[in-house]
Amino acid sequence: LSACGWGSAAAYLKTDGSAYAYGLDGGSPPIAGAGTLVGTGVARIASGTDFVYLLGSDGVLASLGQYGEGQLGDGQVSA
């Protein structure tokens, strides 16, 4: 089991490669419980302020979280 989080986003990775995340939803408090399944076949997870990266065992990198400052790496910024 691996876990990471900072700001309004957090995630954990189980030994079977399934990744679960928590976070704020439009400013609402995060939901308690097991989190939301956000990926399978995940090899590693990492986080920064308000975002989480997932690296798949196939080498694909995915991101989730806020993108008010471009954290998701897709070239977009939204308030």
Side-chain angles (χ1 to χ4, degrees):
L1 181 69
S2 300
C4 62
W6 187 258
S8 64
Y12 67 92
L13 175 63
K14 294 175 66 173
T15 56
D16 66 0
S18 57
Y20 295 80
Y22 298 87
L24 297 178
D25 182 12
S28 299
I31 298 170
T36 300
L37 178 66
V38 293
T40 58
V42 177
R44 294 181 184 231
I45 58 174
S47 67
T49 304
D50 304 326
F51 66 94
V52 173
Y53 289 133
L54 309 171
L55 178 62
S57 55
D58 58 1
V60 173
L61 180 66
S63 59
L64 54 111
Q66 293 184 3
Y67 58 99
E69 311 232 358
Q71 295 101 314
L72 299 186
D74 63 3
Q76 297 184 21
V77 176
S78 176

